[in-house]
Amino acid sequence: MVKVKVKLFAVFADAVGTKELVIDLSGEKVKVKDVLEYIRSKYPKFREVEENVPILMLVNGINVLPDDEVKDRDEVSFLPPVSGG
Amino acid sequence: MHPEISSVNASTLSKEEKIRYSRQIMIFGEEGQKKLKSARVVVVGVGGLGSASSTYLTAAGVGRLILVDKDVVELDNLNRQVLHWTRDIGKLKVRSAAEKLRELNPEVDVEGLAVEVNEESVYDIIKEADVVVDGLDNWGTRMIINKACVELGKPFVHAGVHGMYGQLTVIIPHESPCLQCIVPSAGTKPKSGTFPVLGTTPAILATLQAQEVIKLITGHGRPLIGKLLIFDGTTTTFTTIEVSRRKNCPACGNPAMQQ
């Protein structure tokens, strides 16, 4: 079991209704994309927002890719870099 | 001056310049002001971000300011693009902006380029720049600028806005992560849609951009290199996170680099 704290920013926080979640994921090797998939399945609005906004993914403050690993007690952040000017 | 910027100092400041800039000379001295006077800054996009950044860069006395935008002023620009006024509707944005900036500070050499930024034109547009400032409204064109800045070794001060949200970072090629490292999932096609935005949001981010440019040029303070500032205007929160270079970044990656 891997317990991670998820921090959500801006429109992702709006979609989920909170800025912070603590989630438990089963399995030995958990990846960032598993965390994303969990949030998508629980919060359909997140998936809607995600279709129009790129995601900046961080694990413990370092930018990562969906296939990177997440360990127990890591902090995963999802931020929407915005593109208007 | 940041080591990446290597323009020659303008040798003197006139009596009027010493008065005009006296309050900021108290911060970084006449030496800093001379560095600003000899700097060439390119602002790409004169919309919400570019209106505010170019105003403060002009007021601060950068020597040469090159504005790039192919669009004309439209009515729905006016809630945020404060360099363009009601009477300017239909006018080229670079013309509308340059007219006011020259009045604000005749010491600054303001030039307007009404050209499209694409993979061919970008090199000519930024080749003279000591610093490039992001005033764009889409990822695709930003990534074109980002790649060219990496190739030519130009510092690039990025900001983006949406609604009451925004972000900011300073990119020093091969030293800090580039825009493609930070936002690998952003689209690369130049596409600007209609996005919600409150005028104050680009003003907040763009004044910070101008401040970062001034820091880079004068060498005063520590620019936001390798860090991303996230602004949430709905809660008035600024969050700064560290960002790293990506080993296989298609824009700046060095396969041999250790992450």
Side-chain angles (χ1 to χ4, degrees), chain A residues 9-11 14 19 54-58 61-65 68 79-85, chain B residues 48-49 136-139 142 160-162 165 167 181-182 185 195 228 230 232 241-242 244 246:
Chain A
F9 289 78
V11 288
D14 294 345
K19 287 175 186 287
I55 299 192
L56 169 56
M57 294 165 263
L58 308 170
I62 303 291
N63 44 322
V64 295
L65 289 171
D68 287 324
L79 305 100
V82 289
S83 64
Chain B
L49 289 169
L136 292 156
D137 63 358
N138 68 89
W139 286 118
R142 278 195 177 92
V161 294
H162 184 104
Y165 301 120
Q167 80 269 335
C181 295
I182 299 171
S185 62
F195 59 95
L228 185 72
I230 314 279
D232 179 346
I241 55 166
E242 302 226 358
S244 353
R246 198 178 293 286

Side-chain angles (χ1 to χ4, degrees), chain A residues 5 12 23 28 42 51 54 57 62 69 73 75:
Chain A
K5 187 199 270 184
F12 293 140
I23 59 175
E28 295 260 302
K42 258 198 123 178
E51 277 173 16
M57 294 165 263
I62 303 291
E69 202 181 331
R73 317 244 161 223
E75 183 179 278

Side-chain angles (χ1 to χ4, degrees), chain B residues 149-167:
Chain B
C149 283
V150 166
E151 286 172 21
L152 302 184
K154 308 282 187 188
F156 181 37
V157 180
H158 158 73
V161 294
H162 184 104
M164 295 176 75
Y165 301 120
Q167 80 269 335

Side-chain angles (χ1 to χ4, degrees), chain A residues 43-61:
Chain A
Y43 304 94
K45 211 148 178 236
F46 183 89
R47 191 192 291 273
E48 265 172 52
V49 171
E50 205 191 345
E51 277 173 16
N52 299 308
V53 184
I55 299 192
L56 169 56
M57 294 165 263
L58 308 170
V59 173
N60 303 327

